Amino acid sequence: MKAVVMAGGEGTRLRPLTSNQPKPMVPIVGKPCIEHILELLREHGLTNVVITLAFLPQALRSYFGDGSALGMDVEYSVEESPLGTAGSVLLATQGLQIDDTFLVISGDALCDIDLSALIAYHREKNASVTIGLKSVDNPLEFGIVVTDEDGRVERFLEKPSWGQVFSDTINTGIYVIEPEVMRHVPDGPYDFSKELFPLLLEMGRPMYGFVCDGYWQDIGNLDQYRQANFDALDEKVRLNVPGI
């Protein structure tokens, strides 16, 4: 199975750390965030990876090359203009002819989630899309996903207010996707959670949510970035850290 790692983020809320490097390259305990994600993929046997690039693409290309230093096969897909989450993945799947089930993960959210369990759940449910979910204390910054008792997705709500919060399970941006659903993505900017997933829900396609164990931290701002580094040092997240 191939994995698509989304790494086009500019990270404006992380400046000055992202003034001259892409957001996925900000270091967590001395190693770029995206490198921790690639090592997680490798741990779960996902060694064929496509990285989607937009902002300062050469920074990632020159750092990872073809991926051989990590024991992986890394390719790149570069957006000339912003295409949104689904649009950039469509570009990557078309360019590299991904015609089998694939996994999408963000290069700028630190996690040690059991990806093998997520993939196994997707296959067991014969899902079109399986969304990795996580329970969080403050769901206001994220997209909330509500599932029935069987795990089937019932509704979405993007970045709610407290009055709208009806669940604490949020969308982590980790997806297992069947390639045929990408046929519903038009050319141009298009988003998974705001546009494609609601469309698939309306069509009655089997979409499931899998509540993941393990650590997950979005690195959207400087407070979250600092927290991710503290959590790594406190060993709250399992990482391959050089040193003690």
Short mmCIF file of all heavy atoms in Angstrom, two decimals, residues 117-165:
data_model
loop_
_atom_site.label_atom_id
_atom_site.label_comp_id
_atom_site.label_asym_id
_atom_site.label_seq_id
_atom_site.Cartn_x
_atom_site.Cartn_y
_atom_site.Cartn_z
N ALA A 117 -3.70 -0.96 12.55
CA ALA A 117 -5.05 -1.20 13.08
C ALA A 117 -6.09 -0.43 12.28
O ALA A 117 -7.19 -0.93 12.00
CB ALA A 117 -5.12 -0.82 14.56
N LEU A 118 -5.75 0.79 11.89
CA LEU A 118 -6.65 1.62 11.08
C LEU A 118 -6.92 0.97 9.72
O LEU A 118 -8.07 0.88 9.26
CB LEU A 118 -6.04 3.02 10.90
CG LEU A 118 -6.78 4.02 10.02
CD1 LEU A 118 -8.10 4.43 10.65
CD2 LEU A 118 -5.92 5.27 9.76
N ILE A 119 -5.85 0.47 9.09
CA ILE A 119 -5.98 -0.17 7.78
C ILE A 119 -6.80 -1.47 7.89
O ILE A 119 -7.67 -1.75 7.05
CB ILE A 119 -4.59 -0.44 7.17
CG1 ILE A 119 -3.89 0.89 6.83
CG2 ILE A 119 -4.68 -1.33 5.93
CD1 ILE A 119 -2.38 0.77 6.61
N ALA A 120 -6.55 -2.24 8.94
CA ALA A 120 -7.28 -3.50 9.15
C ALA A 120 -8.78 -3.23 9.35
O ALA A 120 -9.63 -3.95 8.81
CB ALA A 120 -6.71 -4.25 10.36
N TYR A 121 -9.10 -2.17 10.10
CA TYR A 121 -10.50 -1.79 10.33
C TYR A 121 -11.17 -1.41 9.02
O TYR A 121 -12.31 -1.80 8.73
CB TYR A 121 -10.53 -0.63 11.33
CG TYR A 121 -11.91 -0.13 11.69
CD1 TYR A 121 -12.66 -0.73 12.71
CD2 TYR A 121 -12.47 0.96 11.02
CE1 TYR A 121 -13.92 -0.26 13.04
CE2 TYR A 121 -13.73 1.43 11.35
CZ TYR A 121 -14.45 0.82 12.36
OH TYR A 121 -15.71 1.29 12.70
N HIS A 122 -10.47 -0.64 8.20
CA HIS A 122 -10.98 -0.21 6.88
C HIS A 122 -11.35 -1.42 6.03
O HIS A 122 -12.42 -1.47 5.41
CB HIS A 122 -9.89 0.63 6.19
CG HIS A 122 -10.23 1.02 4.78
ND1 HIS A 122 -10.99 2.12 4.47
CD2 HIS A 122 -9.90 0.44 3.58
CE1 HIS A 122 -11.12 2.22 3.15
NE2 HIS A 122 -10.46 1.22 2.59
N ARG A 123 -10.48 -2.41 6.04
CA ARG A 123 -10.71 -3.60 5.21
C ARG A 123 -11.87 -4.45 5.78
O ARG A 123 -12.69 -4.97 5.02
CB ARG A 123 -9.43 -4.42 5.13
CG ARG A 123 -8.40 -3.70 4.25
CD ARG A 123 -7.14 -4.49 4.03
NE ARG A 123 -6.37 -3.92 2.93
CZ ARG A 123 -5.06 -3.82 2.90
NH1 ARG A 123 -4.34 -4.27 3.92
NH2 ARG A 123 -4.45 -3.28 1.87
N GLU A 124 -11.91 -4.53 7.10
CA GLU A 124 -12.96 -5.33 7.76
C GLU A 124 -14.35 -4.74 7.44
O GLU A 124 -15.31 -5.47 7.24
CB GLU A 124 -12.69 -5.29 9.27
CG GLU A 124 -13.71 -5.97 10.14
CD GLU A 124 -13.59 -5.49 11.58
OE1 GLU A 124 -12.45 -5.33 12.09
OE2 GLU A 124 -14.63 -5.27 12.21
N LYS A 125 -14.44 -3.41 7.37
CA LYS A 125 -15.73 -2.75 7.13
C LYS A 125 -16.05 -2.60 5.64
O LYS A 125 -17.14 -2.13 5.30
CB LYS A 125 -15.72 -1.35 7.76
CG LYS A 125 -15.60 -1.35 9.28
CD LYS A 125 -16.87 -1.87 9.92
CE LYS A 125 -16.84 -1.74 11.43
NZ LYS A 125 -18.02 -2.35 12.07
N ASN A 126 -15.12 -2.98 4.76
CA ASN A 126 -15.31 -2.74 3.32
C ASN A 126 -15.68 -1.27 3.06
O ASN A 126 -16.60 -0.96 2.29
CB ASN A 126 -16.39 -3.65 2.74
CG ASN A 126 -15.85 -5.05 2.52
OD1 ASN A 126 -14.70 -5.22 2.15
ND2 ASN A 126 -16.68 -6.04 2.79
N ALA A 127 -14.95 -0.38 3.70
CA ALA A 127 -15.26 1.05 3.62
C ALA A 127 -14.72 1.66 2.34
O ALA A 127 -13.75 1.17 1.76
CB ALA A 127 -14.66 1.77 4.83
N SER A 128 -15.37 2.75 1.90
CA SER A 128 -14.81 3.56 0.82
C SER A 128 -13.73 4.48 1.38
O SER A 128 -12.70 4.70 0.77
CB SER A 128 -15.90 4.42 0.17
OG SER A 128 -16.81 3.63 -0.54
N VAL A 129 -14.03 5.03 2.57
CA VAL A 129 -13.09 5.90 3.28
C VAL A 129 -13.17 5.58 4.77
O VAL A 129 -14.27 5.40 5.30
CB VAL A 129 -13.43 7.40 3.09
CG1 VAL A 129 -12.51 8.28 3.93
CG2 VAL A 129 -13.36 7.81 1.64
N THR A 130 -12.03 5.48 5.42
CA THR A 130 -12.01 5.38 6.88
C THR A 130 -11.20 6.56 7.41
O THR A 130 -10.09 6.82 6.95
CB THR A 130 -11.39 4.05 7.35
OG1 THR A 130 -12.16 2.97 6.80
CG2 THR A 130 -11.41 3.96 8.88
N ILE A 131 -11.80 7.27 8.36
CA ILE A 131 -11.19 8.47 8.92
C ILE A 131 -10.63 8.14 10.30
O ILE A 131 -11.34 7.59 11.14
CB ILE A 131 -12.24 9.60 9.06
CG1 ILE A 131 -12.85 9.93 7.69
CG2 ILE A 131 -11.63 10.85 9.69
CD1 ILE A 131 -14.04 10.86 7.75
N GLY A 132 -9.35 8.45 10.51
CA GLY A 132 -8.77 8.29 11.84
C GLY A 132 -9.30 9.38 12.76
O GLY A 132 -9.20 10.57 12.45
N LEU A 133 -9.89 8.98 13.88
CA LEU A 133 -10.48 9.93 14.83
C LEU A 133 -9.69 9.93 16.13
O LEU A 133 -9.02 8.95 16.46
CB LEU A 133 -11.94 9.56 15.14
CG LEU A 133 -12.89 9.42 13.95
CD1 LEU A 133 -14.26 8.99 14.43
CD2 LEU A 133 -12.97 10.72 13.18
N LYS A 134 -9.80 11.02 16.87
CA LYS A 134 -9.12 11.13 18.17
C LYS A 134 -10.01 11.94 19.10
O LYS A 134 -10.60 12.94 18.70
CB LYS A 134 -7.77 11.84 17.98
CG LYS A 134 -6.85 11.74 19.19
CD LYS A 134 -6.05 10.45 19.15
CE LYS A 134 -5.18 10.27 20.38
NZ LYS A 134 -5.75 9.50 21.45
N SER A 135 -10.10 11.49 20.36
CA SER A 135 -10.82 12.27 21.37
C SER A 135 -9.88 13.35 21.90
O SER A 135 -8.75 13.05 22.28
CB SER A 135 -11.27 11.37 22.52
OG SER A 135 -12.22 10.45 22.07
N VAL A 136 -10.36 14.59 21.93
CA VAL A 136 -9.53 15.70 22.42
C VAL A 136 -10.33 16.53 23.43
O VAL A 136 -11.57 16.52 23.42
CB VAL A 136 -9.04 16.63 21.28
CG1 VAL A 136 -8.12 15.90 20.33
CG2 VAL A 136 -10.22 17.23 20.52
N ASP A 137 -9.61 17.25 24.30
CA ASP A 137 -10.26 18.08 25.31
C ASP A 137 -10.95 19.29 24.69
O ASP A 137 -12.03 19.68 25.12
CB ASP A 137 -9.24 18.57 26.36
CG ASP A 137 -8.66 17.40 27.15
OD1 ASP A 137 -9.36 16.39 27.28
OD2 ASP A 137 -7.52 17.52 27.64
N ASN A 138 -10.28 19.91 23.71
CA ASN A 138 -10.83 21.12 23.10
C ASN A 138 -11.00 20.91 21.60
O ASN A 138 -10.06 21.07 20.83
CB ASN A 138 -9.90 22.31 23.36
CG ASN A 138 -10.43 23.60 22.75
OD1 ASN A 138 -11.50 23.61 22.14
ND2 ASN A 138 -9.67 24.67 22.88
N PRO A 139 -12.23 20.55 21.18
CA PRO A 139 -12.43 20.24 19.75
C PRO A 139 -12.69 21.46 18.86
O PRO A 139 -12.93 21.30 17.67
CB PRO A 139 -13.67 19.33 19.79
CG PRO A 139 -14.41 19.73 21.02
CD PRO A 139 -13.42 20.31 21.99
N LEU A 140 -12.62 22.67 19.42
CA LEU A 140 -13.06 23.85 18.66
C LEU A 140 -12.23 24.13 17.41
O LEU A 140 -12.74 24.69 16.46
CB LEU A 140 -13.04 25.11 19.55
CG LEU A 140 -13.97 25.11 20.76
CD1 LEU A 140 -14.02 26.48 21.40
CD2 LEU A 140 -15.39 24.68 20.39
N GLU A 141 -10.94 23.75 17.43
CA GLU A 141 -10.08 24.08 16.28
C GLU A 141 -10.15 23.03 15.18
O GLU A 141 -9.47 23.16 14.17
CB GLU A 141 -8.62 24.19 16.75
CG GLU A 141 -8.33 25.43 17.56
CD GLU A 141 -6.84 25.55 17.85
OE1 GLU A 141 -6.04 25.14 17.00
OE2 GLU A 141 -6.51 26.05 18.93
N PHE A 142 -10.91 21.98 15.39
CA PHE A 142 -10.86 20.84 14.47
C PHE A 142 -12.23 20.55 13.88
O PHE A 142 -13.23 21.15 14.24
CB PHE A 142 -10.34 19.60 15.22
CG PHE A 142 -9.03 19.82 15.91
CD1 PHE A 142 -8.97 20.04 17.28
CD2 PHE A 142 -7.85 19.86 15.20
CE1 PHE A 142 -7.76 20.25 17.93
CE2 PHE A 142 -6.64 20.07 15.82
CZ PHE A 142 -6.60 20.27 17.19
N GLY A 143 -12.26 19.60 12.97
CA GLY A 143 -13.52 19.11 12.42
C GLY A 143 -14.02 17.95 13.26
O GLY A 143 -13.29 17.00 13.51
N ILE A 144 -15.27 18.06 13.72
CA ILE A 144 -15.86 16.99 14.53
C ILE A 144 -16.53 15.97 13.61
O ILE A 144 -17.14 16.33 12.61
CB ILE A 144 -16.89 17.59 15.51
CG1 ILE A 144 -16.18 18.40 16.60
CG2 ILE A 144 -17.76 16.52 16.15
CD1 ILE A 144 -17.11 19.07 17.56
N VAL A 145 -16.40 14.70 13.97
CA VAL A 145 -17.02 13.61 13.20
C VAL A 145 -17.88 12.79 14.16
O VAL A 145 -17.42 12.38 15.22
CB VAL A 145 -15.95 12.70 12.56
CG1 VAL A 145 -16.60 11.60 11.74
CG2 VAL A 145 -14.99 13.51 11.69
N VAL A 146 -19.14 12.55 13.77
CA VAL A 146 -20.05 11.74 14.59
C VAL A 146 -20.31 10.42 13.86
O VAL A 146 -20.63 10.41 12.67
CB VAL A 146 -21.37 12.48 14.85
CG1 VAL A 146 -22.35 11.58 15.59
CG2 VAL A 146 -21.13 13.73 15.66
N THR A 147 -20.18 9.33 14.61
CA THR A 147 -20.41 8.00 14.03
C THR A 147 -21.52 7.28 14.80
O THR A 147 -21.79 7.63 15.96
CB THR A 147 -19.14 7.13 14.09
OG1 THR A 147 -18.72 7.02 15.46
CG2 THR A 147 -18.01 7.74 13.29
N ASP A 148 -22.16 6.29 14.17
CA ASP A 148 -23.12 5.46 14.90
C ASP A 148 -22.36 4.38 15.67
O ASP A 148 -21.13 4.35 15.65
CB ASP A 148 -24.18 4.88 13.96
CG ASP A 148 -23.60 3.90 12.92
OD1 ASP A 148 -22.45 3.45 13.11
OD2 ASP A 148 -24.29 3.61 11.92
N GLU A 149 -23.10 3.48 16.35
CA GLU A 149 -22.40 2.50 17.19
C GLU A 149 -21.58 1.50 16.40
O GLU A 149 -20.66 0.86 16.93
CB GLU A 149 -23.38 1.76 18.13
CG GLU A 149 -24.44 0.98 17.41
CD GLU A 149 -25.84 1.40 17.87
OE1 GLU A 149 -26.01 2.49 18.37
OE2 GLU A 149 -26.75 0.59 17.70
N ASP A 150 -21.87 1.40 15.09
CA ASP A 150 -21.09 0.50 14.24
C ASP A 150 -19.85 1.19 13.67
O ASP A 150 -19.04 0.58 12.99
CB ASP A 150 -21.99 0.00 13.10
CG ASP A 150 -21.33 -1.13 12.31
OD1 ASP A 150 -20.66 -1.98 12.94
OD2 ASP A 150 -21.44 -1.13 11.08
N GLY A 151 -19.71 2.50 13.94
CA GLY A 151 -18.56 3.24 13.43
C GLY A 151 -18.80 3.96 12.13
O GLY A 151 -17.92 4.65 11.62
N ARG A 152 -20.01 3.83 11.59
CA ARG A 152 -20.31 4.49 10.31
C ARG A 152 -20.53 5.99 10.53
O ARG A 152 -21.21 6.39 11.47
CB ARG A 152 -21.55 3.87 9.67
CG ARG A 152 -21.74 4.32 8.23
CD ARG A 152 -22.59 3.35 7.44
NE ARG A 152 -22.78 3.87 6.07
CZ ARG A 152 -22.99 3.11 5.02
NH1 ARG A 152 -23.01 1.80 5.14
NH2 ARG A 152 -23.18 3.64 3.82
N VAL A 153 -19.93 6.80 9.66
CA VAL A 153 -20.02 8.26 9.83
C VAL A 153 -21.44 8.73 9.56
O VAL A 153 -22.07 8.36 8.56
CB VAL A 153 -19.04 8.97 8.87
CG1 VAL A 153 -19.24 10.48 8.91
CG2 VAL A 153 -17.59 8.63 9.24
N GLU A 154 -21.95 9.58 10.49
CA GLU A 154 -23.30 10.12 10.34
C GLU A 154 -23.30 11.61 9.97
O GLU A 154 -24.16 12.07 9.25
CB GLU A 154 -24.09 9.95 11.65
CG GLU A 154 -24.44 8.50 11.95
CD GLU A 154 -25.31 8.37 13.18
OE1 GLU A 154 -25.05 9.09 14.18
OE2 GLU A 154 -26.24 7.55 13.16
N ARG A 155 -22.34 12.36 10.52
CA ARG A 155 -22.31 13.79 10.19
C ARG A 155 -20.95 14.40 10.50
O ARG A 155 -20.16 13.83 11.25
CB ARG A 155 -23.43 14.56 10.91
CG ARG A 155 -23.38 14.51 12.41
CD ARG A 155 -24.57 15.24 13.05
NE ARG A 155 -24.53 16.68 12.87
CZ ARG A 155 -25.09 17.54 13.70
NH1 ARG A 155 -25.75 17.12 14.76
NH2 ARG A 155 -25.00 18.83 13.48
N PHE A 156 -20.73 15.56 9.90
CA PHE A 156 -19.48 16.32 10.08
C PHE A 156 -19.82 17.73 10.53
O PHE A 156 -20.87 18.26 10.20
CB PHE A 156 -18.73 16.47 8.74
CG PHE A 156 -18.27 15.18 8.14
CD1 PHE A 156 -19.00 14.58 7.13
CD2 PHE A 156 -17.10 14.57 8.57
CE1 PHE A 156 -18.58 13.39 6.56
CE2 PHE A 156 -16.67 13.39 8.00
CZ PHE A 156 -17.41 12.80 7.00
N LEU A 157 -18.89 18.34 11.26
CA LEU A 157 -19.01 19.76 11.56
C LEU A 157 -17.61 20.34 11.63
O LEU A 157 -16.79 19.91 12.45
CB LEU A 157 -19.75 19.97 12.89
CG LEU A 157 -20.06 21.42 13.26
CD1 LEU A 157 -20.99 22.06 12.22
CD2 LEU A 157 -20.72 21.49 14.63
N GLU A 158 -17.34 21.30 10.75
CA GLU A 158 -16.01 21.92 10.71
C GLU A 158 -15.88 23.04 11.73
O GLU A 158 -16.71 23.94 11.77
CB GLU A 158 -15.75 22.50 9.31
CG GLU A 158 -15.27 21.49 8.30
CD GLU A 158 -13.93 20.89 8.64
OE1 GLU A 158 -12.96 21.64 8.80
OE2 GLU A 158 -13.86 19.67 8.76
N LYS A 159 -14.84 22.99 12.56
CA LYS A 159 -14.50 24.06 13.51
C LYS A 159 -15.73 24.68 14.18
O LYS A 159 -16.12 25.81 13.89
CB LYS A 159 -13.65 25.13 12.81
CG LYS A 159 -12.35 24.54 12.29
CD LYS A 159 -11.34 25.56 11.83
CE LYS A 159 -10.05 24.87 11.39
NZ LYS A 159 -9.05 25.74 10.81
N PRO A 160 -16.37 23.93 15.08
CA PRO A 160 -17.62 24.37 15.70
C PRO A 160 -17.39 25.43 16.78
O PRO A 160 -16.26 25.68 17.21
CB PRO A 160 -18.13 23.09 16.35
CG PRO A 160 -16.87 22.35 16.71
CD PRO A 160 -15.89 22.65 15.60
N SER A 161 -18.48 26.05 17.23
CA SER A 161 -18.44 26.85 18.46
C SER A 161 -18.81 25.92 19.61
O SER A 161 -19.31 24.81 19.40
CB SER A 161 -19.46 27.99 18.37
OG SER A 161 -20.77 27.44 18.34
N TRP A 162 -18.60 26.36 20.87
CA TRP A 162 -18.93 25.49 22.01
C TRP A 162 -20.39 25.07 21.98
O TRP A 162 -20.74 23.95 22.34
CB TRP A 162 -18.60 26.19 23.34
CG TRP A 162 -17.19 25.95 23.79
CD1 TRP A 162 -16.25 26.90 24.03
CD2 TRP A 162 -16.54 24.69 24.03
NE1 TRP A 162 -15.05 26.31 24.40
CE2 TRP A 162 -15.20 24.95 24.42
CE3 TRP A 162 -16.95 23.35 23.96
CZ2 TRP A 162 -14.29 23.96 24.74
CZ3 TRP A 162 -16.03 22.35 24.26
CH2 TRP A 162 -14.72 22.66 24.64
N GLY A 163 -21.27 25.99 21.53
CA GLY A 163 -22.70 25.67 21.48
C GLY A 163 -23.02 24.56 20.50
O GLY A 163 -24.06 23.91 20.60
N GLN A 164 -22.12 24.33 19.54
CA GLN A 164 -22.36 23.30 18.52
C GLN A 164 -21.65 21.99 18.82
O GLN A 164 -21.82 21.02 18.10
CB GLN A 164 -21.86 23.81 17.16
CG GLN A 164 -22.58 25.03 16.62
CD GLN A 164 -21.89 25.54 15.37
OE1 GLN A 164 -20.73 25.93 15.39
NE2 GLN A 164 -22.60 25.52 14.24
N VAL A 165 -20.85 21.96 19.89
CA VAL A 165 -20.03 20.77 20.14
C VAL A 165 -20.93 19.62 20.61
O VAL A 165 -21.54 19.70 21.67
CB VAL A 165 -18.93 21.06 21.18
CG1 VAL A 165 -18.25 19.77 21.61
CG2 VAL A 165 -17.89 22.00 20.58
#
